[in-house]
Amino acid sequence: MGGLNSANYHDFMQTAKSLPPIRMRNTATYSVFDKFNLTDISHDKYGAIQKEVIKRGIRASKICWHPDADTSTCNLNENGEIIVTAAHSIQNNGILSEIAENGKVLSYKFDKGKLVSREFQKNSASTFMGFCNNHDSIFRPIENFTYLKSPEQNFLFAYRGFVMVCHKKLELSISKNFGDQSQIDITENKKIFDKAIKQKDYSRVESEVFELPFFYPIAASSSFYLDFDFQGSAISHSDDRMENVFVTLLPKKKENKTYFILSYFKEDRHLYQNLGKQLRSRNNLKSDITMILAAHTDNIFFNPVYYMTFIEKIQDAVAKLIFQTQYDHGIIDFKNNIQHQFSYTPSNYLANPDKINIFGY
């Protein structure tokens, strides 16, 4: 399609991965199309190529993330290779089943520059190829038992959010250049989780648990870093490792509650402990949790009727927020040298100036 073929595919992908990890703001080009003699393609063909790239990324990134993963402890096929199966980052039978409608849930995605709904079968929603069946059992305390806010359960929710985000980044890295720092961040944060798992030291993750007094048919699991707190104060990160927060939105129908779990490593307390204090003192949980989730994660799922009732009307505002908070921007000259790199993230965005609310009642 468009001149892309099996003979030039590898070289093209290597060239694409070497491009600077920023969004272009001017008409500068990299001459990639001329180099590989590529031509324009239709939107449908573009979609077909993207689907194939995604499939190859998933195949290439199949690994078991457990710290003990190797051929002596993982499930193996007849060729002695580790069998990695689809793991849910959000529990299928305890959470997604409660918010699904006819076995389906909705999330959102960008299509032609606009945020639109995306339908999933609940069995495939939030899945990633990140564990063998043997080591996926690490999550039994949050899969098979009532949520009691125990340190182990909060640790596992944080760990699952971390692994899901990092694994998705590995899948996308087949065609995107996230930079060397991205891999350093994954490796260094994984070391902390791995050591804690081996030692069963669940106190390495500190968690703040917040309760909303209603069942909201929304579920989320993710990991990211924050540049600002709720007062608009900058959060200064180190150069050695990006310090992340880990978040889970946990709806409980029988309890008529929705839990929001905010977690971080003990060694990152100095950066993030004020977030929990601010969340409690501001007494504006629905707005504050909305901004944390809407600005920083797309691993969020809704009951379809709830989505069409409450989320559909705020899609444009959420798209604007994502553009401001999830993308780095820059100006590039014609020699591919970065002249200026910057962020559009307003320091006060967590204050929710556009009054976005994913909690409809």
Side-chain angles (χ1 to χ4, degrees), residues 315-327:
Q315 285 177 157
D316 290 345
V318 173
K320 173 187 171 184
L321 181 65
I322 292 172
F323 178 82
Q324 290 176 329
T325 57
Q326 291 193 23
Y327 295 110

Side-chain angles (χ1 to χ4, degrees), residues 139-341:
F139 297 112
R140 282 177 183 165
I142 57 177
E143 292 280 349
N144 300 338
F145 297 93
T146 300
Y147 178 56
L148 300 175
K149 308 179 190 177
S150 72
E152 181 183 14
Q153 288 178 318
N154 290 336
F155 176 96
L156 291 173
F157 278 121
Y159 179 55
R160 190 151 63 175
F162 164 76
V163 172
M164 186 281 301
V165 168
C166 294
H167 192 88
K168 289 296 183 182
K169 187 166 283 189
L170 290 183
E171 291 179 4
L172 293 172
S173 65
I174 188 173
S175 60
K176 298 181 185 293
N177 177 11
F178 292 104
D180 294 339
Q181 187 62 46
S182 175
Q183 185 56 52
I184 293 171
D185 294 339
I186 292 173
T187 300
E188 295 305 312
N189 283 305
K190 184 177 186 299
K191 286 179 181 178
I192 299 174
F193 271 118
D194 287 353
K195 183 177 180 181
I197 291 169
K198 285 177 173 290
Q199 296 178 349
K200 296 185 177 181
D201 180 12
Y202 305 120
S203 67
R204 287 297 294 273
V205 167
E206 298 189 355
S207 298
E208 300 253 19
V209 182
F210 303 87
E211 295 183 16
L212 294 172
F214 297 99
F215 168 76
Y216 292 99
I218 314 168
S221 174
S222 195
S223 168
F224 43 82
Y225 67 90
L226 295 175
D227 286 320
F228 303 100
D229 65 15
F230 284 97
Q231 295 176 346
S233 300
I235 298 175
S236 300
H237 296 276
S238 70
D239 295 328
D240 299 327
R241 169 183 64 86
M242 179 54 70
E243 301 92 344
N244 288 340
V245 292
F246 316 104
V247 298
T248 300
L249 190 68
L250 190 63
K252 290 294 183 181
K253 194 170 187 177
K254 291 182 180 179
E255 300 176 33
N256 194 30
K257 289 182 180 179
T258 302
Y259 295 99
F260 177 67
I261 311 170
L262 174 72
S263 304
Y264 43 83
F265 288 135
K266 181 185 294 185
E267 48 264 63
D268 299 336
R269 179 194 300 150
H270 65 290
L271 296 180
Y272 291 125
Q273 64 178 342
N274 279 339
L275 283 174
K277 295 178 181 178
Q278 291 167 1
L279 279 165
R280 296 189 191 283
S281 65
R282 286 167 54 82
N283 196 30
N284 196 16
L285 278 180
K286 291 195 291 185
S287 172
D288 292 347
I289 296 171
T290 289
M291 295 309 291
I292 291 175
L293 295 178
H296 296 288
T297 182
D298 58 2
N299 190 45
I300 184 169
F301 297 90
F302 305 84
N303 169 275
V305 174
Y306 183 92
Y307 187 101
M308 290 183 285
T309 304
F310 299 110
I311 307 303
E312 210 167 57
K313 61 187 177 184
I314 62 171
Q315 285 177 157
D316 290 345
V318 173
K320 173 187 171 184
L321 181 65
I322 292 172
F323 178 82
Q324 290 176 329
T325 57
Q326 291 193 23
Y327 295 110
D328 288 330
H329 301 266
I331 298 172
I332 304 174
D333 67 14
F334 285 92
K335 295 180 181 178
N336 297 345
N337 296 315
I338 298 176
Q339 295 178 324
H340 179 54
Q341 192 165 349

Side-chain angles (χ1 to χ4, degrees), residues 17-63:
K17 290 171 69 174
S18 69
L19 297 177
I22 63 174
R23 289 171 62 93
M24 293 177 59
R25 294 186 63 250
N26 59 15
T27 57
T29 66
Y30 300 104
S31 300
V32 174
F33 297 107
D34 293 339
K35 178 179 179 180
F36 292 95
N37 197 28
L38 303 182
T39 59
D40 291 343
I41 57 174
S42 67
H43 182 75
D44 289 341
K45 286 186 176 180
Y46 169 77
I49 292 173
Q50 284 295 93
K51 287 180 181 179
E52 180 60 27
V53 169
I54 291 170
K55 288 179 182 178
R56 295 189 184 197
I58 292 172
R59 288 199 299 266
S61 61
K62 282 186 179 182
I63 60 170

